[in-house]
Amino acid sequence: MSHAPETGPGGAGFHMADVRRKRPTRRRAVAVGELHPGDAFEAIVERRLPKGDALLMAEVAGLQGAKMAAQLMPLCHPLLLEYVDVRCIAVPVRRAIRVYCEVACEARTGVEMEALAGVNAALLTLYDLTKPVQPALSLQSIQLLFKEGGKKGLWICPEGLSEEERAHYRPQSPARMDGARCAVVTLSDRAAAGVYEDRSGPLLTQALLALGAAPEVVEILPDGIEALSTRLRALADAGLELVLCTGGTGFGPRDLSPEALRAVADRSVPGIGELFRSESRHHTELAWLSRAEAGLIGGCLVILLPGSPKAVSQGMAILGPLLAHARAMLRGEPHPVSGAGHSHA
């Protein structure tokens, strides 16, 4: 049962963002801020303030602040945080205490507010413990340093990261596919006849370009088995490493892309289709009806995705991070690693 949102004094309705149709992904955010304590800098660093060790207490307060973000901000989603780390670092050249808060979890929404709440709680605690000896305190440069996860992936503040920050936190940029030989094939009778504008193929092309790959072939074929199976074999024989197809994975009488791939594939890659359906279920329960799948033709990986632009966009968000690793496996090269984590096939 749904209700119209309550109207506040200003006439505007308030509600939490609806994230029910979003896919849970690994989320991470790091926020930063500074306390400028003036003459009290040495007292803080030497841990001799009247109220006790301000640096230690601030780090504890930052942990608590990150966990209490949803209680402090009414429209902030309550999240089950899996990791919080707060660091207070003395910066003598500016006579400042720089505070970092890193937060991570798997969720449908980001954790930047939790990171910012942690920084602010730590800074306010530093302020509270320092004010007895120095009332002229200043909180400055509170900002999100970077966030990652979700459909948009990595975002870094326009000011960038210092070398120390980049080395310590290692933002997880997607593994790139520079130089990969790729193709994009759209399967659609209507698009091939020119009566329907292909919108899914261009989305796949953009996704490959974002990963550093420039597709050599972008084309539209009619539905069915023979045209696609013949073309896939020709692309593999020409040395292409990756072919992304969109369309022909439904239940219609001409939706035969999986059958075309099976006719020429040397090996199947069932996990790719399974992953696509499993993760897509968060967007729509109809995901289980998709016949998306993948296979290998020699050293060429072929992935079949649905024909709708929305499904293609969601599919590349799900599968895109795997492509560089898959390419390295096919080439017998060391597997590329994104961010701080290491994985093994």
Side-chain angles (χ1 to χ4, degrees):
M1 183 175 180
S2 62
H3 302 276
E6 296 292 334
T7 300
F14 299 100
H15 59 86
M16 294 175 65
D18 188 349
V19 299
R20 290 175 293 178
R21 292 294 186 183
K22 295 181 70 175
R23 180 173 64 97
T25 63
R26 293 181 181 179
R27 308 279 185 156
R28 181 169 171 243
V30 177
V32 65
E34 290 186 353
L35 172 79
H36 289 253
D39 294 339
F41 177 77
E42 285 77 12
I44 295 175
V45 173
E46 296 169 8
R47 305 174 191 266
R48 52 181 175 81
L49 289 173
K51 290 186 177 182
D53 188 338
L55 298 177
L56 179 59
M57 183 57 69
E59 291 178 351
V60 174
L63 292 170
Q64 191 69 11
K67 293 188 292 183
M68 295 182 64
Q71 299 176 46
L72 299 172
M73 290 163 280
L75 303 185
C76 191
H77 292 83
L79 298 177
L80 183 61
L81 302 184
E82 297 170 351
Y83 179 77
V84 181
D85 179 63
V86 182
R87 295 192 302 149
C88 295
I89 300 173
V91 186
V93 68
R94 291 199 303 277
R95 297 181 63 79
I97 307 298
R98 192 164 175 84
V99 176
Y100 292 93
C101 180
E102 177 183 6
V103 180
C105 72
E106 183 168 324
R108 289 181 167 87
T109 187
V111 291
E112 57 264 38
M113 297 311 299
E114 285 72 16
L116 287 164
V119 165
N120 278 278
L123 288 173
L124 289 173
T125 298
L126 285 172
Y127 194 113
D128 178 49
L129 272 65
T130 307
K131 62 181 172 57
V133 300
Q134 173 56 277
L137 302 171
S138 174
L139 305 181
Q140 299 181 17
S141 304
I142 301 171
Q143 63 181 331
L144 183 67
L145 197 61
F146 71 86
K147 64 176 180 177
E148 56 193 23
K151 184 171 65 174
K152 296 182 179 179
L154 177 65
W155 178 90
I156 297 178
C157 71
E159 297 177 8
L161 280 63
S162 69
E163 290 185 10
E164 189 278 334
E165 290 168 342
R166 190 173 291 277
H168 184 85
Y169 291 110
R170 298 179 64 185
Q172 296 181 6
S173 300
R176 294 180 60 80
M177 299 182 63
D178 296 318
R181 302 188 63 195
C182 305
V184 171
V185 180
T186 298
L187 284 302
S188 170
D189 287 332
R190 291 188 299 157
V195 298
Y196 172 79
E197 179 185 1
D198 174 28
R199 293 186 294 142
S200 297
L203 288 177
L204 288 178
T205 300
Q206 293 173 11
L208 288 173
L209 290 172
L211 292 174
E216 297 181 16
V217 176
V218 178
E219 59 188 17
I220 301 174
L221 297 178
D223 288 308
I225 295 178
E226 184 174 351
L228 179 58
S229 60
T230 300
R231 190 58 174 142
L232 290 177
R233 171 57 69 184
L235 292 171
D237 289 344
L240 269 71
E241 302 170 89
L242 173 67
V243 179
L244 298 178
C245 300
T246 170
T249 60
F251 285 7
R254 296 275 291 164
D255 289 334
L256 299 171
S257 294
E259 286 71 22
L261 175 58
R262 292 171 201 156
V264 292
D266 301 311
R267 292 179 285 171
S268 67
V269 188
I272 288 181
E274 293 165 3
L275 174 64
F276 173 79
R277 282 180 286 275
S278 178
E279 292 298 302
S280 295
R281 82 189 193 281
H282 297 291
H283 300 294
T284 171
E285 61 275 11
L286 301 180
W288 298 112
L289 301 179
S290 171
R291 299 199 301 137
E293 64 178 71
L296 298 173
I297 306 175
C300 178
L301 173 63
V302 180
I303 299 177
L304 307 180
L305 292 171
S308 78
K310 186 174 182 181
V312 163
S313 179
Q314 294 168 350
M316 286 305 293
I318 295 167
L319 303 177
L322 305 179
L323 297 181
H325 194 98
R327 181 195 183 205
M329 293 174 69
L330 282 169
R331 292 160 66 97
E333 298 174 349
H335 305 163
V337 177
S338 296
H342 294 267
S343 60
H344 305 275

